């Protein structure tokens, strides 16, 4: 728990790190450094589990075409992109309020800033080797890079903080531009690349802590998000050529190991499947239902219609449909059972479930399909088709037929491959921004609203009140709360 002493709590309400006065008594050994680095991952896990367990999926899935409706308040507002929901000032426990605030992410950034600052000041003699010290610093640069990339996709421009600042110097900060946020992320990533290796310091940390594979995966995604597709190709090739990652069989039980965590396909994940880990409220709470997958919930809180699944997985030979989409429970909705690794510490029908799936951030097939997208975008169609067909054949499908446009075929394949893995919303944004194909339901967002920036989240009004230099994101500044 010592790591909790190193981060602020209410300090980020006005956007500045407020550390406790423990720093001068800390940072005295490798174990101190190790605890502080572990703290970054713990805080990132908290941030991605915000909004009552599904922040990662709320941002990346709920408003996409994967979810038809939500039958629990307030998530139906997120599904329908009513993100300017008016809330009483006292309603600080509302999921929409929590998701419109970035407090938890800046706690991650503060912890990374603190690690970078203090480890650089620690003597090399405190560590088993200089390599260990540098690896820890590389992890901090990666976590800060990832967090800024994550914030940039959600809000566009956000404040950039790169120093661990004492409370006496706390000031408010204005947002940098969206371009500057991605630039900061890339700069941090280049620093991480200097220090990290393909293999983690500890073999069992593979996938759940940063290594060079995670660096290149993030670089591939930043390239795709910003339209720098040559960067995406180069980064994806680094991963593929490393021979560190491999497809998991799409057959039955083997396929589920991807979502349990630490499979051969996992590149970067948030660990919550180990013996002493798990969450009682997670994505499984919203996607599973009884009698097969949950003891107390009779229908999924996030509803995916059978019509949508039949449309997306139009080839019934698709192993992903067969082994992760249960179409047998109900004639109108489908259960996505990717996150059904559940344990019940107690017996009885009312026992609280513990969800034991890792949060899969980047995995091998995701990066392979990003490469296909990048190849198609740079007029290398034959190569793009070859990569696309590699993923299709893994899933029991025939090579692409050539019907329709290649770019849409690639994004459709990503939709099938990465269903409910927090990619689809961002994919739909890229598909329109870079390739002119608009697939958002008009009831949620029109092209005109997209062009005005509705795809970015608003800042909660409480953040604007606490930081007068912070400006509302463009679209939401015009519609009010």
């Amino acid at each position: 728990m010592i790591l909790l002493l190193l981060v602020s709590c209410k300090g980020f309400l006005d956007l500045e790190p407020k550390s406790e006065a423990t720093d001068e008594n800390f940072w005295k050994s490798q174990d101190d450094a190790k605890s502080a680095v572990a703290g970054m991952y713990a805080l990132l896990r908290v941030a991605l589990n915000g909004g009552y367990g599904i922040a990662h999926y709320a941002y990346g899935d709920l408003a996409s075409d994967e979810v038809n409706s939500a039958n629990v308040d307030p998530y139906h507002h997120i599904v329908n992109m009513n993100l300017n929901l008016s809330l009483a000032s006292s309603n600080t426990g509302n999921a929409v309020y929590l998701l419109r605030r970035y407090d938890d992410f800046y706690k991650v950034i503060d912890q990374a800033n603190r690690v970078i600052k203090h480890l650089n000041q620690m003597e090399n003699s405190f560590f088993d080797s200089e390599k260990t010290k540098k690896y820890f610093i590389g992890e901090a640069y990666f976590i800060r890079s990832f967090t800024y990339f994550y914030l940039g996709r959600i809000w566009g421009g956000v404040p950039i903080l790169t120093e661990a600042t004492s409370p006496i110097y706390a000031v408010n900060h204005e947002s940098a531009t969206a371009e500057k946020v991605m630039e900061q992320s890339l700069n941090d990533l280049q620093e991480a690349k200097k220090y990290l290796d393909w293999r983690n310091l500890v073999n069992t940390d593979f996938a759940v802590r940063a290594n060079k594979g995670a660096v290149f995966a993030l670089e591939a995604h930043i390239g795709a998000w910003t339209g720098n597709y040559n960067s995406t190709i180069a980064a994806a090739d680094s991963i593929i050529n490393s021979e560190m990652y491999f497809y998991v069989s799409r057959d039955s039980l083997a396929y589920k190991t991807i979502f349990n965590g630490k499979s051969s396909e996992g590149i970067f994940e948030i660990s919550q499947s180990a013996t002493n880990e798990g969450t009682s409220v997670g994505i499984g709470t919203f996607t599973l239902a009884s009698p097969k997958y949950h003891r107390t919930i009779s229908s999924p809180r996030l509803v995916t219609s059978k019509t949508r699944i039949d449309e997306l997985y139009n080839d019934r030979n698709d192993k992903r449909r067969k082994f992760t989409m249960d179409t047998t429970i109900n004639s109108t909705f489908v259960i996505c059972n990717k996150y059904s690794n559940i344990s019940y510490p107690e017996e009885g029908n009312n026992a609280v479930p513990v969800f034991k799936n890792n949060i899969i951030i980047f995995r091998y097939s995701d990066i392979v399909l990003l490469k296909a997208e990048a190849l198609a975008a740079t007029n290398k169609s034959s190569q793009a088709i070859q990569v696309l067909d590699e993923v299709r054949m893994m899933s029991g499908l025939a090579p692409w037929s050539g019907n329709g446009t290649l770019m849409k075929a690639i994004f459709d394949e990503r939709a099938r491959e990465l269903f409910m893995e927090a990619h689809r919303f961002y994919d739909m944004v890229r598909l329109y921004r870079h390739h002119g194909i608009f697939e958002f339901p008009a009831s949620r967002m029109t092209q005109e609203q997209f062009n005005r920036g509705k795809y970015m989240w608003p800042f909660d009004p409480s953040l604007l009140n606490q930081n007068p230099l912070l400006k509302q994101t463009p679209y939401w500044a015009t519609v009010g709360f």
Side-chain angles (χ1 to χ4, degrees):
M1 298 300 291
I2 194 168
L3 62 94
L4 296 179
L5 300 176
L6 302 178
V7 296
S8 63
C9 293
K10 295 183 179 178
F12 281 106
L13 298 182
D14 62 357
L15 230 191
E16 191 63 31
K18 307 266 182 122
S19 62
E20 299 291 344
T22 57
D23 277 347
E24 63 186 50
N25 300 314
F26 199 66
W27 314 103
K28 302 295 186 183
S29 69
Q30 180 171 303
D31 283 344
D32 288 348
K34 184 178 179 180
S35 295
V37 171
M40 298 186 305
Y41 294 94
L43 289 167
L44 182 57
R45 171 176 160 171
V46 169
L48 298 184
N49 276 310
Y52 298 100
I54 63 165
H56 182 57
Y57 307 95
Y59 295 129
D61 288 313
L62 264 62
S64 76
D65 54 6
E66 293 176 335
V67 180
N68 295 92
S69 62
N71 56 32
V72 60
D73 187 71
Y75 300 97
H76 59 283
H77 291 290
I78 300 171
V79 168
N80 292 311
M81 296 191 74
N82 298 322
L83 303 181
N84 59 334
L85 178 68
S86 181
L87 298 170
S89 58
S90 59
N91 196 2
T92 56
N94 188 286
V96 171
Y97 168 87
L98 296 171
L99 291 165
R100 292 192 307 218
R101 294 184 63 96
Y102 47 44
D103 310 57
D104 287 339
F105 292 103
Y106 277 96
K107 292 174 187 176
V108 181
I109 290 169
D110 182 41
Q111 186 73 352
N113 289 343
R114 206 159 298 283
V115 169
I116 293 168
K117 173 184 176 180
H118 290 287
L119 263 66
N120 275 306
Q121 295 173 350
M122 291 177 70
E123 297 178 16
N124 290 345
S125 60
F126 291 166
F127 296 86
D128 292 341
S129 67
E130 185 179 4
K131 176 184 177 181
T132 299
K133 174 183 174 179
K134 288 183 175 180
Y135 201 98
F136 286 164
I137 294 171
E139 288 184 90
Y141 275 115
F142 172 82
I143 291 296
R144 193 169 76 182
S145 173
F146 173 78
T147 306
Y148 277 122
F149 169 69
Y150 205 92
L151 289 168
R153 288 194 304 180
I154 298 169
W155 285 286
V158 295
I160 295 175
L161 304 177
T162 58
E163 300 291 336
T165 308
S166 301
I168 191 173
Y169 300 113
V171 293
N172 293 320
H173 289 266
E174 63 183 347
S175 292
T177 64
E179 292 76 18
K180 286 293 184 183
V181 173
M182 289 297 156
E183 182 180 318
Q184 177 63 47
S185 179
L186 274 173
N187 289 341
D188 282 342
L189 205 56
Q190 296 312 309
E191 292 299 310
K193 196 180 292 184
K194 295 176 185 177
Y195 297 120
L196 297 178
D197 295 325
W198 285 101
R199 296 194 180 276
N200 296 71
L201 291 175
V202 178
N203 289 338
T204 54
D205 287 338
F206 194 79
V208 296
R209 286 178 65 160
N211 63 9
K212 196 155 282 188
V215 168
F216 283 115
L218 179 52
E219 190 171 39
H221 270 276
I222 294 173
W225 184 255
T226 59
N228 184 2
Y229 280 116
N230 286 323
S231 173
T232 296
I233 294 169
D237 279 342
S238 293
I239 291 172
I240 294 166
N241 295 335
S242 74
E243 298 185 348
M244 299 290 291
Y245 306 95
F246 306 93
Y247 291 112
V248 169
S249 169
R250 274 28 181 179
D251 291 326
S252 191
L253 295 178
Y255 192 14
K256 294 291 185 66
T257 64
I258 294 176
F259 313 105
N260 295 350
K262 301 186 74 170
S263 73
S264 63
E265 233 174 276
I267 298 175
F268 184 57
E269 309 172 359
I270 304 302
S271 179
Q272 50 189 28
S273 63
T275 302
N276 62 337
E277 296 174 341
T279 176
S280 60
V281 180
I283 184 61
T285 310
F286 292 81
T287 56
L288 302 177
S290 62
K292 291 172 67 173
Y293 302 106
H294 202 289
R295 292 184 182 178
T296 59
I297 299 176
S298 59
S299 62
R301 295 170 175 177
L302 299 176
V303 179
T304 298
S305 72
K306 190 171 183 298
T307 300
R308 173 56 184 152
I309 294 303
D310 287 344
E311 174 188 66
L312 181 61
Y313 298 91
N314 53 356
D315 189 326
R316 297 301 188 269
N317 294 317
D318 196 320
K319 295 178 181 180
R320 296 164 298 192
R321 173 191 167 100
K322 182 177 180 180
F323 297 124
T324 67
M325 300 291 164
D326 193 328
T327 61
T328 65
I329 288 181
N330 189 280
S331 61
T332 59
F333 64 74
V334 172
I335 299 289
C336 174
N337 58 33
K338 287 183 175 182
Y339 306 109
S340 57
N341 187 26
I342 303 175
S343 65
Y344 289 89
E346 300 176 4
E347 296 299 324
N349 291 333
N350 295 320
V352 175
V354 176
F355 300 96
K356 307 286 286 185
N357 293 91
N358 283 359
I359 299 175
I360 312 301
I361 306 296
F362 304 133
R363 63 182 177 97
Y364 186 65
S365 59
D366 158 36
I367 301 305
V368 170
L369 286 170
L370 270 189
K371 179 182 176 181
E373 174 189 340
L375 289 168
T378 53
N379 300 315
K380 301 178 180 69
S381 297
S382 61
Q383 296 177 53
I385 294 170
Q386 183 178 357
V387 175
L388 169 63
D389 286 345
E390 178 183 307
V391 176
R392 289 179 59 84
M393 293 172 69
M394 273 292 302
S395 302
L397 301 182
W400 178 53
S401 65
N403 293 330
T405 67
L406 174 58
M407 190 61 70
K408 179 165 168 51
I410 291 168
F411 275 84
D412 285 349
E413 203 62 41
R414 284 184 62 83
R416 286 185 282 269
E417 178 67 20
L418 304 170
F419 190 92
M420 202 58 71
E421 295 182 43
H423 288 283
R424 180 58 178 167
F425 182 84
Y426 305 121
D427 282 2
M428 292 169 74
V429 170
R430 287 201 319 280
L431 185 59
Y432 181 56
R433 280 175 57 192
H434 299 329
H435 311 296
I437 302 173
F438 191 83
E439 295 197 332
F440 286 97
S443 60
R444 300 179 188 180
M445 180 166 57
T446 64
Q447 291 186 45
E448 185 271 337
Q449 290 171 329
F450 183 105
N451 293 336
R452 290 166 54 202
K454 188 178 180 180
Y455 63 90
M456 292 181 290
W457 275 65
F459 296 120
D460 192 78
S462 60
L463 285 175
L464 304 178
N465 292 336
Q466 289 156 354
N467 180 0
L469 298 180
L470 190 65
K471 304 300 181 184
Q472 186 59 276
T473 50
Y475 172 82
W476 300 102
T478 68
V479 297
F481 281 78

